[in-house]
Amino acid sequence: MFMQIEWSIIPRGDVHPSDTRVYVTMNRRGEIVLNGTAYRRMGEPAAFLVMFDKTNSRIALKPTGATMKNAYPAGPRGRYGGRVVRAHRLLTEFGIKVPETLEFKDAEIDLDGQLILDLRTAKVSARGRAARNRGTSEK
């Protein structure tokens, strides 16, 4: 019996692990952190409108210009193109409690280009917990 073999070479080191999927967290200060992949897929906007659907406990970040009314700037974060949106008012305005850094494993960019974050399915981030256990801050 003859078996045909077709090997494929897997490239090494070309892609940093954080560049392969959308990764979004929110800490107790209301800082929403997007990895570079999420930011690039959203078109690298200068700012976002921060919206909240109270009925479904969902947050949406809508790309916008920095000069638009109610725009939250997308500040630099990390070495790989990530961004941070400082949205503490979201927490205070709607009474949202975030005791530890949350990870949105099912974060998605919808057909309108908005990043949708569901608080009902968010989980405590292992990275945030590890940083806290080491005694470092989650900056």
Side-chain angles (χ1 to χ4, degrees):
M1 182 167 170
F2 178 73
M3 179 186 342
Q4 183 164 342
I5 300 172
E6 294 183 32
W7 295 105
S8 296
I9 296 174
I10 310 301
R12 181 178 177 270
D14 295 325
V15 178
H16 189 275
S18 67
D19 289 342
T20 58
R21 67 178 181 98
V22 171
Y23 181 80
V24 183
T25 62
M26 182 169 65
N27 66 25
R28 66 184 189 274
R29 294 182 301 273
E31 295 173 338
I32 301 170
V33 178
L34 293 72
N35 71 347
T37 298
Y39 185 62
R40 284 187 294 279
R41 287 185 186 170
M42 295 184 75
E44 301 181 355
F48 294 94
L49 292 178
V50 178
M51 303 179 291
F52 186 62
D53 172 5
K54 189 173 183 175
T55 302
N56 297 298
S57 296
R58 291 171 22 135
I59 299 165
L61 296 183
K62 181 177 184 173
T64 192
T67 59
M68 295 298 292
K69 183 178 180 178
N70 299 317
Y72 285 74
R77 179 64 177 225
R79 296 179 291 191
Y80 300 104
R83 290 294 185 266
V84 61
V85 178
R86 291 178 172 82
H88 181 72
R89 185 165 184 177
L90 169 70
L91 303 183
T92 59
E93 194 84 15
F94 294 99
I96 300 169
K97 304 288 185 225
V98 180
E100 293 195 52
T101 299
L102 298 177
E103 181 179 343
F104 298 93
K105 291 191 180 273
D106 58 355
E108 66 174 330
I109 300 169
D110 71 9
L111 296 175
D112 295 324
Q114 301 174 138
L115 180 64
I116 308 298
L117 309 172
D118 194 330
L119 286 167
R120 298 170 300 182
T121 58
K123 304 290 183 204
V124 172
S125 169
R127 287 186 199 179
R129 182 174 281 163
R132 185 174 302 235
N133 289 342
R134 285 192 309 270
T136 61
S137 68
E138 343 164 8
K139 290 186 180 176

